[in-house]
């Protein structure tokens, strides 16, 4: 198949293959690398570059070739193939060439052009993709991570970072790379894709690399930049969304709960707390997290969102980008914070330990996530203060409160549900927020008492209890008697507890020998102890 046929002074050129695109055609003064087979008209081969295992490398139009070849190479494209018929007067003429080429020989050459460059060539850059946002470009002394395919000008692949499944990581502009790549990477944005073409003088020169890259070869690199940073870089924080108000910012030693999405600078995702459906919880400023994150988490507010970049390594020398959302934080030294949001005009009787209190609450996390509300159930939450029936922070928040008062309480986790939290309700190490309203209270007994007398104690207490006068008080007699005193207003049981359980406990305290009955001797012995008597 002959794509084209023409004659120049009896020089016959037949184009047997023409590439679809001709990126560059040979001009006089260019340096070319080509393969050839030299034959006589009868088909007998007299020479071949293939047999020598290397291309023929030469300047065109500088009389370094026979005149016919000098002319025939002009206009050829890379990967173009030509059959060239050269008459003797444009070849070796009447003299021939030693024993190889007889006088007056017509020569046929099958030529395949592989490379062309000019001594005046520099680095050629073709950017075929540039991201819409480019906050920073490669500069001298930057450290970059990029992927590349390296080919010769004819498309022969000689190297690829993709096949090694790892980026090429290096400094730019300080001589760690071949000169053409050092120049070709400058000005690139992360995510940008370039074709970088360089002559051998800016590549591997006359000798090549000794294996896959021939001497005097042009090089073509298809590069995508994934990452760049400079050793002088600190962290960068962008896209801050700071909530208002921000009453407190993190300091070193605080414990922070935050969500994050982690990606590389080119957008490659590598980790997310959201995918695990739980926050990342850690101390800040203490070296528990990578240095860049440790620094970025100082001075943030609850609810703040920020994008943070740091030069820590995943993979080696990669810049990491974290989109973080601060959920809450506290310090191990924090106490319960109580803010009174409403106080009645008359507020004289204040809650204390032992009081039985009834209150409503709305409970949430610091980010506003609702946990629970008594209003949903239509009834108050009722507890005895000081009886360990609620978390310590709530005990603190309910003290010295009067009926009708409203409070906003913030409870750190060590005074709430701690590191474990409550499965399915409260995350581990979560700060709790309660809005409470005291609805009612019943005054408790002095600390350590479960029953007190309102009147003077009867001197004939034992006989009054011993209804059947058998000299011993059974549990039923004891219970009936105490309940009667309570009903008559002569005595009072600690509020908020099961009265029968209190009375059972009182009976057990009097029944010194544990036989299920109280004798007068036991009773007297007990009444000799002032505190126990008062307890009765």
């Amino acid at each position: 198949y002959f794509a084209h046929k023409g004659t120049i002074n009896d020089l016959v050129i037949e184009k047997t293959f023409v590439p679809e695109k001709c990126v560059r055609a040979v001009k006089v003064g260019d340096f070319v690398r080509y393969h050839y087979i030299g034959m006589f008209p009868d088909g007998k081969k007299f020479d071949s570059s293939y047999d020598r295992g290397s291309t023929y490398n030469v300047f065109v139009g500088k009389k370094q070739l026979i005149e016919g070849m000098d002319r025939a190479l002009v206009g050829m494209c890379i990967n173009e193939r030509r059959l060239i018929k050269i008459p003797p007067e444009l070849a070796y003429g009447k003299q021939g060439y030693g024993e190889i080429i007889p006088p007056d020989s017509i020569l046929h050459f099958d030529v395949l052009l592989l490379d062309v460059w000019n001594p005046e060539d520099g680095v050629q850059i073709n950017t075929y993709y540039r991201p819409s946002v480019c906050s920073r470009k490669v500069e001298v002394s930057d450290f970059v991570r990029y992927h590349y395919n390296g080919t010769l000008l004819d498309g022969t692949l000689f190297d690829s970072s993709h096949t090694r499944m790892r980026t090429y990581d290096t400094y730019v502009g300080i001589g760690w790379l071949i000169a053409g790549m050092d120049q070709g990477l400058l000005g690139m944005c992360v995510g940008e894709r370039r074709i970088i073409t360089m002559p051998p003088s800016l590549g591997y020169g006359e000798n090549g690399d000794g294996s896959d890259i021939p001497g005097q070869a042009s090089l073509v690199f298809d590069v995508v930049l994934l990452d760049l940073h400079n050793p002088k870089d600190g962290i960068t924080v962008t896209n801050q969304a700071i909530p208002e108000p921000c009453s407190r910012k993190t300091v070193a030693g605080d414990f922070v709960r935050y969500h994050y999405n982690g990606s590389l600078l080119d957008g490659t995702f590598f980790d997310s707390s959201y995918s695990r459906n739980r926050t990342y919880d850690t101390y800040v400023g203490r070296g528990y997290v990578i240095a860049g994150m440790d620094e970025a988490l100082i001075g943030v507010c609850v609810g703040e969102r920020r994008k943070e970049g740091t030069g820590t390594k995943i993979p080696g020398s990669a810049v990491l980008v974290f989109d973080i959302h601060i959920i809450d934080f506290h310090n191990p030294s924090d106490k319960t914070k109580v803010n009174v949001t409403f106080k009645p005009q008359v507020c004289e009787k204040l809650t204390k330990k032992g009081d039985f209190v009834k209150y409503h609450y709305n409970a949430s996390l610091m980010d506003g996530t609702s946990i629970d509300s008594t209003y949903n159930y239509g009834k108050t939450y009722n507890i005895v203060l000081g009886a360990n029936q609620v978390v310590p922070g709530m005990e603190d928040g309910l003290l010295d409160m009067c009926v009708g008062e409203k409070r906003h309480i913030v409870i750190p986790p060590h005074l709430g549900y701690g590191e474990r939290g409550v499965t399915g309700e409260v995350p581990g190490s979560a700060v709790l927020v309660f809005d409470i309203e005291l609805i009612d209270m019943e005054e408790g007994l002095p600390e350590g008492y479960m029953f007190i007398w309102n009147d003077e104690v009867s001197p004939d207490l034992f006989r009054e209890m011993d209804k059947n006068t058998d000299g011993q008080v059974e549990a039923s007699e004891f219970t009936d008697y105490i309940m009667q005193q309570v009903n008559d207003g002569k005595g009072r049981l600690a509020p908020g507890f099961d009265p029968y359980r209190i009375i059972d406990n009182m009976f057990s305290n009097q029944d010194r020998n544990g036989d299920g009955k109280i004798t007068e001797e036991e009773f007297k012995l007990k009444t000799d102890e002032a505190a126990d008597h008062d307890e009765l």
Side-chain angles (χ1 to χ4, degrees):
Y1 169 72
F2 300 115
H4 175 77
K5 189 172 182 179
T7 7
I8 309 172
N9 294 340
D10 296 321
L11 178 71
V12 179
I13 298 172
E14 300 173 351
K15 298 184 179 183
T16 57
F17 177 78
V18 178
E20 287 185 16
K21 291 184 179 179
C22 183
V23 179
R24 179 166 178 173
V26 177
K27 295 178 182 177
V28 171
D30 283 347
F31 190 92
V32 293
R33 292 174 48 247
Y34 61 91
H35 268 306
Y36 71 88
I37 300 172
M39 299 167 289
F40 296 117
D42 62 359
K44 182 182 177 183
K45 181 170 69 174
F46 62 81
D47 192 14
S48 171
S49 62
Y50 296 100
D51 294 344
R52 292 193 295 275
S54 66
T55 53
Y56 194 79
N57 307 336
V58 69
F59 280 99
V60 175
K62 294 193 174 182
K63 301 187 182 301
Q64 296 179 2
L65 292 161
I66 58 175
E67 187 177 349
M69 187 65 82
D70 238 359
R71 294 183 186 180
L73 291 171
V74 174
M76 277 192 86
C77 303
I78 300 299
N79 288 326
E80 183 178 335
R81 191 167 181 177
R82 289 183 175 183
L83 285 176
I84 304 167
K85 180 183 175 183
I86 304 178
E89 60 269 23
L90 296 179
Y92 294 100
K94 296 186 179 299
Q95 289 77 30
Y97 186 74
E99 296 181 359
I100 302 172
I101 310 291
D104 293 318
S105 293
I106 296 172
L107 304 181
H108 291 197
F109 288 91
D110 184 348
V111 175
L112 174 63
L113 186 68
L114 300 182
D115 196 353
V116 56
W117 53 269
N118 193 283
E120 295 180 3
D121 286 350
V123 173
Q124 299 172 41
I125 295 171
N126 173 26
T127 297
Y128 64 94
Y129 175 76
R130 178 175 283 135
S132 56
V133 178
C134 179
S135 58
R136 176 170 172 182
K137 296 179 179 180
V138 176
E139 299 176 1
V140 171
S141 83
D142 280 346
F143 191 90
V144 296
R145 293 175 51 246
Y146 61 92
H147 268 306
Y148 69 89
N149 286 322
T151 61
L152 303 180
L153 209 57
D154 67 340
T156 302
L157 181 74
F158 62 79
D159 191 18
S160 173
S161 62
H162 297 283
T163 59
R164 292 191 297 274
M165 296 182 68
R166 58 170 295 174
T167 53
Y168 194 81
D169 308 341
T170 185
Y171 286 96
V172 176
I174 61 172
W176 283 32
L177 290 161
I178 55 176
M181 188 62 87
D182 248 354
Q183 295 176 31
L185 291 171
L186 292 176
M188 280 192 86
C189 310
V190 171
E192 184 174 332
R193 295 174 180 268
R194 283 183 176 181
I195 303 291
I196 301 171
T197 306
M198 63 195 71
S201 60
L202 299 177
Y204 288 93
E206 292 184 14
N207 300 318
D209 71 345
S211 58
D212 297 316
I213 300 174
Q216 299 288 32
S218 301
L219 304 180
V220 180
F221 290 91
D222 189 339
V223 176
V224 55
L225 185 67
L226 301 185
D227 194 356
L228 82 149
H229 72 275
N230 196 283
K232 301 190 294 289
D233 288 348
I235 65 164
T236 56
V237 176
T238 58
N239 299 338
Q240 281 182 281
I242 302 174
E244 292 290 345
C246 176
S247 58
R248 174 175 170 182
K249 295 184 177 183
T250 53
V251 297
D254 282 346
F255 191 87
V256 180
R257 294 174 56 245
Y258 63 96
H259 270 307
Y260 70 87
N261 285 320
S263 61
L264 303 181
L265 204 57
D266 67 340
T268 302
F269 170 87
F270 66 81
D271 192 19
S272 173
S273 61
Y274 295 100
S275 64
R276 293 188 292 276
N277 201 28
R278 59 167 297 171
T279 54
Y280 193 82
D281 308 340
T282 185
Y283 287 96
V284 295
R286 294 286 185 265
Y288 286 88
V289 289
I290 56 176
M293 186 63 85
D294 228 7
E295 184 179 341
L297 290 172
I298 299 293
V300 294
C301 311
V302 169
E304 183 170 336
R305 294 176 183 268
R306 54 167 54 177
K307 177 173 279 191
E308 172 253 330
T310 175
T312 315
K313 301 182 178 180
I314 300 180
S317 300
V319 174
L320 307 183
V321 179
F322 290 92
D323 280 300
I324 59 178
H325 181 204
I326 307 300
I327 303 301
D328 73 22
F329 67 89
H330 71 279
N331 195 281
S333 63
D334 285 350
K335 295 179 173 54
T336 302
K337 290 183 181 177
V338 178
N339 178 30
V340 177
T341 56
F342 174 76
K343 199 158 198 168
Q345 288 186 341
V346 178
C347 182
E348 296 174 353
K349 193 174 181 181
L350 303 179
T351 55
K352 63 184 183 308
K353 283 187 177 181
D355 288 351
F356 183 56
V357 297
K358 300 180 179 181
Y359 63 97
H360 272 305
Y361 68 80
N362 286 319
S364 64
L365 302 178
M366 286 288 276
D367 65 350
T369 301
S370 178
I371 299 173
D372 194 17
S373 174
T374 54
Y375 297 101
N376 293 338
Y377 310 119
K379 59 181 182 180
T380 55
Y381 198 76
N382 309 330
I383 64 155
V384 177
L385 280 174
N388 296 320
Q389 295 176 352
V390 287
V391 295
M394 184 58 84
E395 292 267 19
D396 297 338
L398 286 166
L399 287 174
D400 300 319
M401 198 173 181
C402 58
V403 171
E405 186 175 337
K406 296 180 181 181
R407 290 181 173 182
H408 182 77
I409 303 172
V410 179
I411 302 174
H414 50 272
L415 297 176
Y417 291 105
E419 291 183 18
R420 292 189 176 183
V422 179
T423 303
E425 295 181 44
V426 180
S429 300
V431 178
L432 303 177
V433 179
F434 285 89
D435 286 296
I436 62 174
E437 179 183 4
L438 187 63
I439 303 302
D440 197 6
M441 64 176 286
E442 186 178 339
E443 190 173 1
L445 303 188
E447 192 169 352
Y449 292 85
M450 297 302 287
F451 172 83
I452 58 172
W453 294 96
N454 292 331
D455 297 333
E456 288 294 321
V457 182
S458 169
D460 215 12
L461 191 56
F462 183 81
R463 287 182 177 77
E464 290 178 13
M465 287 186 181
D466 184 15
K467 290 287 187 182
N468 60 6
T469 65
D470 62 352
Q472 53 192 13
V473 175
E474 296 180 358
S476 59
E477 292 175 314
F478 187 87
T479 299
D480 290 345
Y481 183 81
I482 296 298
M483 288 301 293
Q484 188 63 51
Q485 306 312 303
V486 171
N487 292 334
D488 291 346
K490 296 177 181 179
R492 192 156 73 90
L493 291 166
F497 298 100
D498 180 352
Y500 292 99
R501 290 189 66 178
I502 295 176
I503 295 170
D504 285 347
N505 191 47
M506 292 168 62
F507 181 84
S508 297
N509 287 341
Q510 297 294 324
D511 182 13
R512 302 299 288 266
N513 63 9
D515 63 355
K517 298 175 182 178
I518 303 172
T519 62
E520 190 166 3
E521 181 181 8
E522 285 177 310
F523 199 77
K524 280 182 179 177
L525 184 63
K526 194 70 172 171
T527 56
D528 286 343
E529 301 172 20
D532 290 332
H533 183 81
D534 287 343
E535 191 177 41
L536 275 174

